[in-house]
Amino acid sequence: MQRSTTSHLLLVSLLYWCGWLIATGVASAQTPSTDPASQAGPHIAVLLPLKSASIGRQADAVRLGILEASKVHRATTLPVIVHATGDDAYDVVQAYEEAVRSGAQLVIGPLMRSAVTALSGTKLVTVPTLALNAPEVDTAIPPALYVFGLQVENEAKQVAQLARKQSRKNAVIVASDAPLSRRLAQAFADEFARHGGTIQDEFSYTSDTPSLMKLRDSLAAGFGDVIFLALDATRARLIRSYLGNSTPIFATSMVHSSNDALSSHELDGVYFVDMPWLLTPDHPAVMSYSRNDQAGLEFQRFYALGIDAYRICQELLRGSQSAAPIDGVTGYITLGRDHRFLREPIPAQFTQGEMRLLGEGVSGLPQ
């Protein structure tokens, strides 16, 4: 009887401790986790700042574009797993390390420049990785790291090439004090000079009427034969009326911020470049994907970035050192030096409240 009682107490004790272990989570390793990084196995990891208050919406647009492309292009059986991060570059690097450890065969991201810079300075990049922005410093990047994105500095270079192809030799640049505007101005100036052109002068953007009239008079006197606006749409619209119509005006996609006819009228005559996703929505390659025209242009640009990022990754997964060119929705994409994918958008012009495509050979540009 005593032995039976002792056995009963031991059994009760054992059941109690098992219940306590489960309740306190010590045995939680036996339960599935909702954390994507814990889902071990081969996959494509998508590293995006979805938790960011400043760029979370753009990151979600990229996510949706990637998922849309994964439905259309089923060249791989690898699942796509999204790893949500915040703004902190250190946290992004940690998330990257966890993604690779959990079985990522390829990584898309990071999206923010600070995070790309931090990652490129480590030795963690051991699988093909497509960063969606350029590092902040122009230095060598890890062999497995590739760079692609919506950097408008590259658009400024393309605009400089377009101007030189039309025998424009003397450029006038209008830029603000904003860091991005300064980078645009420098990119245009370097490329224009590299192709034999001369930067005649650079004007600082201002809303001061006397200063704008001085700029107008200088242009009327034949001071330059081409104008480059390193400005966003708001500033470009404010300054446009002072630039006249005799000198060709070039800009980047930054001036195309709305499909509103009035906004387009205010930029009448300005040449710019932008992605096929926005300029040729009826093109068969663009129509392959679902779209939401009610979303703003910024959202659509990042959505298109996600689509092309996934397509590039299909090339990288094939293991080729020279990825085939892609007729993408963000532009014609080729692999350049230093593992940097180059995106060539298409030229257009604001004309009477509409956007007119210039077509191949940019035949619509003034001679």
Side-chain angles (χ1 to χ4, degrees), residues 73 148 285 308 311-316 318 320-336 340-344:
H73 304 281
F148 176 63
D308 279 352
R311 293 188 63 191
I312 290 173
C313 285
Q314 301 310 299
E315 292 293 324
L316 296 180
R318 293 188 180 98
S320 173
Q321 293 298 313
S322 55
I326 296 174
D327 194 10
V329 296
T330 62
Y332 188 72
I333 302 167
T334 55
L335 180 58
R340 296 173 187 267
F341 282 93
L342 305 177
R343 179 181 62 89
E344 184 178 343

Side-chain angles (χ1 to χ4, degrees), residues 172-175 184 227-231 236 239-240 243 249-252 255 267 270:
V172 173
I173 298 175
V174 183
L184 284 178
I227 303 168
F228 174 64
L229 300 181
L231 303 172
I239 203 174
R240 171 65 186 94
L243 302 181
I249 305 168
F250 289 81
T252 68
V255 300
L267 291 170
V270 174

Side-chain angles (χ1 to χ4, degrees), residues 27-32:
S28 63
Q30 303 300 319
T31 61

Side-chain angles (χ1 to χ4, degrees), residues 217-238:
D217 294 341
S218 297
L219 295 171
F223 199 58
D225 59 10
V226 64
I227 303 168
F228 174 64
L229 300 181
L231 303 172
D232 58 21
T234 301
R235 290 179 172 87
R237 286 196 295 267
L238 287 173

Side-chain angles (χ1 to χ4, degrees), residues 31-52:
T31 61
S33 170
T34 57
D35 180 8
S38 70
Q39 300 178 23
H43 67 278
I44 295 174
V46 177
L47 216 64
L48 293 172
L50 297 168
K51 300 176 182 178
S52 168

